[in-house]
Amino acid sequence: MSATANPWHIFATYSPSCWAANYKDYLIYLGSRTAHSYPSLKEVEEIVRRIESVKLPTGTDWNRHFLRPRAVYFDDKHENFSVFVDYLFPRSQEDTTLPPATLNESFRDGEGLHSDGTGSWYTTFWDVRYVPCLQISDHFHLDHKDYYEPFMHQYMVGMARDRFLGDM
């Protein structure tokens, strides 16, 4: 099977309910509450599609805005998602970042991931962290370990790092 036929590469971690995954060019941790398996990849792909649908301010090669999914936690008992995203932006451009309300037009915090017009399912909570960065630094990388390590506990249990988007 070719790599394009299976865009996911999933690896076990030290926890039985947490997996590290590579999808497209993202490193995403996947977690579940009680299941023995990671969340539905089809649903995670929909989450990534929403993230990618946000039109960010344009910039140069060393001066860009990025939305990076960090983790997706699925509470399989209550069938809801907690999604962790970092909004990376140049330190000098804080005044050009999209406000939480604009992001929420795409993310729809606290609403269903899917809707048929009469009902919705998979309520999804979005934890978006704004991260100023110096992209010309040799320390900068879109998926640097510093964006993950301090928050692994939150990623594994679906708890907000600070607060969810709807709380902002």
Side-chain angles (χ1 to χ4, degrees), residues 65-118:
H65 293 237
F66 300 93
L67 286 173
R68 300 296 289 185
R70 300 298 183 199
V72 175
Y73 173 84
F74 184 61
D75 177 348
D76 48 306
K77 276 196 130 165
H78 300 101
E79 293 195 333
N80 61 52
F81 286 98
S82 296
V83 179
F84 301 88
V85 178
D86 282 348
Y87 183 162
L88 306 174
F89 61 92
R91 287 182 185 162
S92 63
Q93 293 185 11
E94 187 164 356
D95 58 333
T96 66
T97 60
L98 298 179
T102 301
L103 293 177
N104 204 28
E105 290 172 12
S106 295
F107 295 163
R108 301 189 317 263
D109 184 65
E111 296 181 25
L113 187 60
H114 302 286
S115 174
D116 62 6
T118 58

Side-chain angles (χ1 to χ4, degrees), residues 49-73:
R49 187 200 61 72
R50 280 210 190 161
I51 294 167
E52 292 176 338
S53 75
V54 174
K55 183 164 174 37
L56 295 169
T58 57
T60 64
D61 285 346
W62 300 102
N63 221 9
R64 295 183 51 204
H65 293 237
F66 300 93
L67 286 173
R68 300 296 289 185
R70 300 298 183 199
V72 175
Y73 173 84

Side-chain angles (χ1 to χ4, degrees), residues 1 5 31-32 87 154:
M1 181 186 323
S32 65
Y87 183 162
Q154 286 90 338

Side-chain angles (χ1 to χ4, degrees), residues 20-163:
N22 291 111
Y23 174 65
K24 295 185 173 184
D25 71 338
Y26 304 115
L27 169 62
I28 306 171
Y29 281 91
L30 305 174
S32 65
R33 180 174 172 174
T34 60
H36 65 283
S37 182
Y38 42 80
S40 162
L41 298 180
K42 176 182 168 215
E43 303 304 339
V44 179
E45 288 172 6
E46 172 60 21
I47 288 166
V48 171
R49 187 200 61 72
R50 280 210 190 161
I51 294 167
E52 292 176 338
S53 75
V54 174
K55 183 164 174 37
L56 295 169
T58 57
T60 64
D61 285 346
W62 300 102
N63 221 9
R64 295 183 51 204
H65 293 237
F66 300 93
L67 286 173
R68 300 296 289 185
R70 300 298 183 199
V72 175
Y73 173 84
F74 184 61
D75 177 348
D76 48 306
K77 276 196 130 165
H78 300 101
E79 293 195 333
N80 61 52
F81 286 98
S82 296
V83 179
F84 301 88
V85 178
D86 282 348
Y87 183 162
L88 306 174
F89 61 92
R91 287 182 185 162
S92 63
Q93 293 185 11
E94 187 164 356
D95 58 333
T96 66
T97 60
L98 298 179
T102 301
L103 293 177
N104 204 28
E105 290 172 12
S106 295
F107 295 163
R108 301 189 317 263
D109 184 65
E111 296 181 25
L113 187 60
H114 302 286
S115 174
D116 62 6
T118 58
S120 64
W121 53 99
Y122 295 139
T123 302
T124 305
F125 301 99
W126 294 81
D127 176 324
V128 178
R129 188 172 70 108
Y130 284 72
V131 184
C133 52
L134 183 60
Q135 296 173 16
I136 61 171
S137 168
D138 65 351
H139 186 75
F140 177 76
H141 187 278
L142 290 174
D143 295 315
H144 194 281
K145 65 182 180 176
D146 288 349
Y147 300 131
Y148 297 92
E149 287 178 345
F151 306 107
M152 286 307 296
H153 177 72
Q154 286 90 338
Y155 296 160
M156 290 174 58
V157 298
M159 185 173 61
R161 294 173 289 188
D162 186 21
R163 58 187 169 196

